[in-house]
Amino acid sequence: MNGVHDMGGMHGLGPVAPEENEPVFHEAWEKRVFAMVLAMGAWGKWNIDMNRHSREVMPAGDYLNTSYYEHWLFGIERLLVEKGLLTQEEIDAGAAEGGGLTPKLTAGAVAGVLRKGDMFRVDEDVPPKFRAGDRVLSRNFQPLGHTRLPRYARGRRGEIDRDHGVFIFPDTNARGEGKKPQHLYSVRFSAREIWGPDAPAQDHIHLDLWDDYLEPA
């Protein structure tokens, strides 16, 4: 969707200032938010693309004035209410009626879950629409829901660099409309195609894009 989260290529946000030796968590509450997202995901009421989209709908003013894990907290609260696991009143009160939910993920299983991760590759025989070397044009569309095609790369001409194989399509997965498996490609764009004539002529950018994002150039 065209939300404030999609800030790639935008000006006026200041320099990127990496924090040397940055810790995984800056505050103890961030660990708890991470744990809640992991634990509630074990209920299987939503998938990772729904999870991402739940953060993308955060109002722009709030998004820009809150931290990374505050975005996560907003998203998990929204999902808990949407899926009927908690009410907004219970969240506001900080206590669930009837003692809360029975855990689906135990502490001893967390390390295994983190090592395994989520499987997005799909073992299905889906024919590719493109092959390495093909010239392609990325779609110029304005979706209302989740998408992994950033605004700065829409309507741009590039070349298929490689085919990663068949993967779940995030746009339909986020809407609960199925996995719609299709090929995922590394697409090579010139920096000038993306950023304009002032970009260095020798620079290129590679984006991982699905079949449904592309058409022949």
Side-chain angles (χ1 to χ4, degrees):
M1 62 181 293
N2 292 344
V4 69
H5 66 283
D6 189 1
M7 293 187 285
M10 293 177 64
H11 295 287
L13 298 173
V16 176
E19 180 181 343
E20 187 175 357
N21 300 317
E22 183 178 6
V24 177
F25 304 104
H26 288 82
E27 304 287 346
W29 68 265
E30 296 179 336
K31 298 181 183 180
R32 295 180 63 84
V33 171
F34 181 86
M36 285 192 292
V37 171
L38 192 66
M40 296 314 303
W43 280 74
K45 298 291 186 180
W46 53 79
N47 57 54
I48 192 169
D49 296 308
M50 294 175 182
N51 211 344
R52 289 187 175 116
H53 185 57
S54 70
R55 301 164 196 163
E56 294 169 355
V57 297
M58 191 176 195
D62 295 337
Y63 192 96
L64 292 173
N65 288 286
T66 50
S67 65
Y68 180 74
Y69 280 105
E70 285 177 292
H71 302 165
W72 278 44
L73 181 59
F74 174 90
I76 191 65
E77 289 182 352
R78 181 183 177 91
L79 286 170
L80 288 169
V81 174
E82 283 185 354
K83 303 302 180 181
L85 295 175
L86 288 175
T87 65
Q88 187 61 54
E89 290 72 25
E90 289 174 314
I91 292 174
D92 293 341
E97 296 181 3
L101 302 168
T102 302
K104 294 281 188 180
L105 178 66
T106 62
V110 169
V113 169
L114 290 175
R115 281 195 300 268
K116 180 181 178 182
D118 289 316
M119 297 300 294
F120 307 111
R121 187 183 293 274
V122 180
D123 186 17
E124 291 193 23
D125 187 15
V126 178
K129 292 182 180 179
F130 307 100
R131 299 188 183 280
D134 286 351
R135 297 288 298 172
V136 293
L137 175 68
S138 60
R139 293 181 60 201
N140 188 4
F141 68 142
Q142 313 302 323
L144 295 177
H146 179 67
T147 187
R148 303 301 295 276
L149 177 57
R151 278 176 293 185
Y152 69 80
R154 296 176 193 167
R156 307 297 185 182
R157 296 179 185 273
E159 181 179 309
I160 301 294
D161 179 71
R162 69 192 67 184
D163 185 342
H164 293 305
V166 180
F167 285 76
I168 293 171
F169 186 50
D171 300 41
T172 54
N173 201 42
R175 297 193 298 265
E177 296 175 357
K179 297 180 179 180
K180 198 180 182 184
Q182 55 190 265
H183 283 258
L184 175 66
Y185 311 92
S186 176
V187 184
R188 184 173 184 260
F189 299 89
S190 71
R192 288 187 170 179
E193 176 69 15
I194 296 292
W195 310 121
D198 292 335
Q202 73 277 12
D203 288 358
H204 292 80
I205 181 172
H206 287 246
L207 296 176
D208 286 342
L209 302 176
W210 280 258
D211 270 317
D212 277 9
Y213 296 160
L214 303 169
E215 56 189 52

